[in-house]
Amino acid sequence: MKRGIYPGSFDPITNGHLDVMLRAEQLFDEVVIAVAHNDQKSPLFSEEERVALIEETVAGHDRIKVTSFDGLLVNFARDQGASALVRGIRALSDFEFEFQMALMNRKLAPNLETIFLMPKEEYSYISSRMVKEIARLQGDITEFVPKNVQKALLSKLA
Ligand code: PNS
């Protein structure tokens, strides 16, 4: 069974993340969405909230599992028996960091591939950070995140 891991902060999940998840679903028997604990980033949503928001968003997609992880990603991937990591690339500006992370992960775990997927162009400018800022400033985020996430953001920031 081919298992892919899509790791990230997902604070919160956006339509761009969802697009990448659905593309990964076409490539693997099972896709594990791995929500990083990420204390350093002081996320707006708790780990449990981020997992729950993704679970609601991908409900009905039985081959997409959602969980959180702490520690080194490559160790988590090994424990899951994964064959590849999946990361989304939106623009050239993402590339440098992603390239560095992929090569570092390859050094740590030579048999674990990183696969980059591009979301639909219409999602290429969306980021969780901007969505949070727009929501904080009472802007309209309808087009950028799933409905449940929009609701959660509005109640979190109320
Ligand atoms: O959505 P993000 O914040 O860009 O995701 C970054 C993430 C969580 C994938 C990255 O920070 C990570 O893998 N963290 C786990 C710790 C780890 O393995 N660090 C070494 C990466 S080379």
Side-chain angles (χ1 to χ4, degrees), residues 7-9 36 38 41 69 71-73 87 101 104-105:
S9 303
N38 252 355
K41 282 201 174 175
F69 78 103
L72 267 187
L73 175 60
R87 290 285 288 173
M101 193 159 69
M104 186 58 89
N105 282 332

Side-chain angles (χ1 to χ4, degrees), residues 6-11 17 34-38 40-41 50 69-76 85-88 90 97-98 100-106 108 128:
Y6 179 20
S9 303
F10 303 109
D11 184 40
H17 292 132
V35 176
H37 182 69
N38 252 355
Q40 287 146 321
K41 282 201 174 175
R50 286 177 281 147
F69 78 103
D70 207 355
L72 267 187
L73 175 60
V74 291
N75 291 347
F76 173 78
L85 300 173
V86 173
R87 290 285 288 173
R90 292 164 299 189
F97 172 67
E98 294 298 332
Q100 192 181 9
M101 193 159 69
L103 290 184
M104 186 58 89
N105 282 332
R106 178 186 280 169
L108 296 171
S128 298

Side-chain angles (χ1 to χ4, degrees), residues 96-148:
E96 200 167 317
F97 172 67
E98 294 298 332
F99 186 64
Q100 192 181 9
M101 193 159 69
L103 290 184
M104 186 58 89
N105 282 332
R106 178 186 280 169
K107 184 79 187 163
L108 296 171
N111 294 326
L112 186 66
E113 287 299 338
T114 296
I115 294 179
F116 295 122
L117 296 178
M118 290 166 292
K120 257 194 204 146
E121 310 84 83
E122 64 203 75
Y123 300 138
S124 61
Y125 58 90
I126 302 176
S127 73
S128 298
R129 186 179 57 78
M130 279 190 189
V131 166
K132 284 182 282 192
E133 183 173 327
I134 294 165
R136 227 175 251 127
L137 299 171
Q138 277 104 46
D140 183 9
I141 53 167
T142 318
E143 282 186 56
F144 311 138
V145 291
K147 270 265 160 316
N148 60 319

